Amino acid sequence: RKEVEQDPGPFNVPEGATVAFNCTYSNSASQSFFWYRQDCRKEPKLLMSVYSSGNEDGRFTAQLNRASQYISLLIRDSKLSDSATYLCVVNNRGGSYIPTFGRGTSLIVHP
Amino acid sequence: EAGVAQSPRYKIIEKRQSVAFWCNPISGHATLYWYQQILGQGPKLLIQFQNNGVVDDSQLPKDRFSAERLKGVDSTLKIQPAKLEDSAVYLCASSPRSGRAIVTNNEQFFGPGTRLTVL
């Protein structure tokens, strides 16, 4: 089993739709979690951290489920500009912050 | 604030040749990362430095890859000799906090990457 797994997609949705991605991790000792966004041929950029209590930033909501070992990202009211690859990042080695990226989930928002 | 700088942006070499990449992190950032990103995959951590010490290099193919971070600032990543499967984008990132701190928000700032093609 891979340390961090994501469905590569693509998720093809119309503008205004709500879409959700999950990311599963294998190490129960993982301590910190993030979502990054990567546009085509660009570098990844932090979208949001994922806190135990869940957190929201505008149209984006991130949640953590430690019992089932996954994090999720919900995007409401999708915009064309949301089209990108969404990468989850897990600190999956306890004691030191050593990040592991998932392969990313591709989102395409169409008119 | 200046971002993470990398050079060159593109490099084409033949297999068995050598190549080096350079990274200048954001000023004051303690932690520096080198990643390899193959097309269609997520970034794979090759090596992580905290200041000028190595935190993790477990996924660095040490028979051909080497990296150093002199004086805890700039870093270079070298491949010698290159193989066809080394074709990828090499990303450098930095973050302000210690790699050994348990933190809930340790944002990584990425450079634009170096796109390597090995023929």
Side-chain angles (χ1 to χ4, degrees), chain B residues 31-53:
Chain B
T31 308
L32 184 148
Y33 313 81
W34 281 103
Y35 291 91
Q36 178 193 63
Q37 187 172 24
I38 293 172
L39 188 64
Q41 299 182 20
K44 170 187 168 185
L45 181 67
L46 295 175
I47 189 166
Q48 179 178 340
F49 293 96
Q50 178 187 325
N51 298 311
N52 62 345

Side-chain angles (χ1 to χ4, degrees), chain A residues 83-100:
Chain A
S83 297
T85 296
Y86 292 84
L87 298 158
C88 72
V89 184
V90 176
N91 162 22
N92 68 338
R93 301 175 204 177
S96 297
Y97 177 71
I98 300 174
T100 298

Side-chain angles (χ1 to χ4, degrees), chain A residues 5 14 53 101:
Chain A
E5 292 199 67
S53 56
F101 279 76

Side-chain angles (χ1 to χ4, degrees), chain A residues 60-108:
Chain A
F60 299 83
T61 300
Q63 297 210 320
L64 167 63
N65 185 319
R66 286 193 183 272
S68 300
Q69 294 183 204
Y70 73 88
I71 63 173
S72 63
L73 178 68
L74 180 77
I75 306 175
R76 291 181 297 279
D77 188 22
S78 298
K79 313 291 185 189
L80 296 176
S81 57
D82 294 334
S83 297
T85 296
Y86 292 84
L87 298 158
C88 72
V89 184
V90 176
N91 162 22
N92 68 338
R93 301 175 204 177
S96 297
Y97 177 71
I98 300 174
T100 298
F101 279 76
R103 66 175 295 177
T105 297
S106 175
L107 172 65
I108 301 171

Side-chain angles (χ1 to χ4, degrees), chain B residues 1 13 15 24 29 33 43 49 56 58 65 70-71 77 87 90 97 102 116-117:
Chain B
E1 179 183 75
I13 62 173
K15 60 183 179 182
N24 189 323
H29 279 195
Y33 313 81
F49 293 96
D56 185 83
S58 58
F65 286 63
L70 298 177
K71 301 180 181 178
L77 176 69
S87 294
Y90 290 84
R97 303 193 191 196
I102 298 174
L116 173 67
T117 302

Side-chain angles (χ1 to χ4, degrees), chain B:
Chain B
E1 179 183 75
V4 177
Q6 289 189 248
S7 67
R9 292 293 308 277
Y10 305 91
K11 190 73 177 179
I12 300 174
I13 62 173
E14 295 189 349
K15 60 183 179 182
R16 292 188 290 275
Q17 285 187 323
S18 300
V19 65
F21 313 128
W22 173 81
C23 173
N24 189 323
I26 293 172
S27 177
H29 279 195
T31 308
L32 184 148
Y33 313 81
W34 281 103
Y35 291 91
Q36 178 193 63
Q37 187 172 24
I38 293 172
L39 188 64
Q41 299 182 20
K44 170 187 168 185
L45 181 67
L46 295 175
I47 189 166
Q48 179 178 340
F49 293 96
Q50 178 187 325
N51 298 311
N52 62 345
V54 175
V55 174
D56 185 83
D57 63 358
S58 58
Q59 298 191 95
L60 186 73
K62 298 180 184 63
D63 57 334
R64 298 185 301 109
F65 286 63
S66 65
E68 60 182 5
R69 190 182 185 195
L70 298 177
K71 301 180 181 178
V73 182
D74 292 9
S75 178
T76 57
L77 176 69
K78 297 179 181 177
I79 307 175
Q80 180 179 13
K83 294 185 176 181
L84 296 177
E85 59 261 35
D86 298 332
S87 294
V89 176
Y90 290 84
L91 294 162
C92 178
S94 69
S95 60
R97 303 193 191 196
S98 164
R100 296 196 184 280
I102 298 174
V103 294
T104 57
N105 183 8
N106 192 12
E107 179 176 359
Q108 296 181 63
F109 297 83
F110 283 83
T114 296
R115 188 172 298 275
L116 173 67
T117 302
V118 182
L119 303 176

Side-chain angles (χ1 to χ4, degrees), chain A residues 5-111:
Chain A
E5 292 199 67
Q6 293 184 257
D7 180 346
F11 286 64
N12 205 318
V13 303
E15 273 187 292
T18 296
V19 62
F21 313 131
N22 282 346
C23 168
T24 59
Y25 59 94
S26 60
N27 188 340
S28 59
S30 298
Q31 294 168 339
S32 52
F33 310 87
F34 309 88
W35 284 102
Y36 278 71
R37 170 189 170 132
Q38 186 172 28
D39 292 301
C40 187
R41 301 180 73 86
K42 297 287 188 180
E43 70 273 21
K45 293 184 178 179
L46 181 67
L47 179 66
M48 59 198 304
S49 303
V50 185
Y51 301 126
S52 296
S53 56
N55 47 303
E56 187 174 309
D57 183 2
R59 298 182 293 109
F60 299 83
T61 300
Q63 297 210 320
L64 167 63
N65 185 319
R66 286 193 183 272
S68 300
Q69 294 183 204
Y70 73 88
I71 63 173
S72 63
L73 178 68
L74 180 77
I75 306 175
R76 291 181 297 279
D77 188 22
S78 298
K79 313 291 185 189
L80 296 176
S81 57
D82 294 334
S83 297
T85 296
Y86 292 84
L87 298 158
C88 72
V89 184
V90 176
N91 162 22
N92 68 338
R93 301 175 204 177
S96 297
Y97 177 71
I98 300 174
T100 298
F101 279 76
R103 66 175 295 177
T105 297
S106 175
L107 172 65
I108 301 171
V109 182
H110 58 82

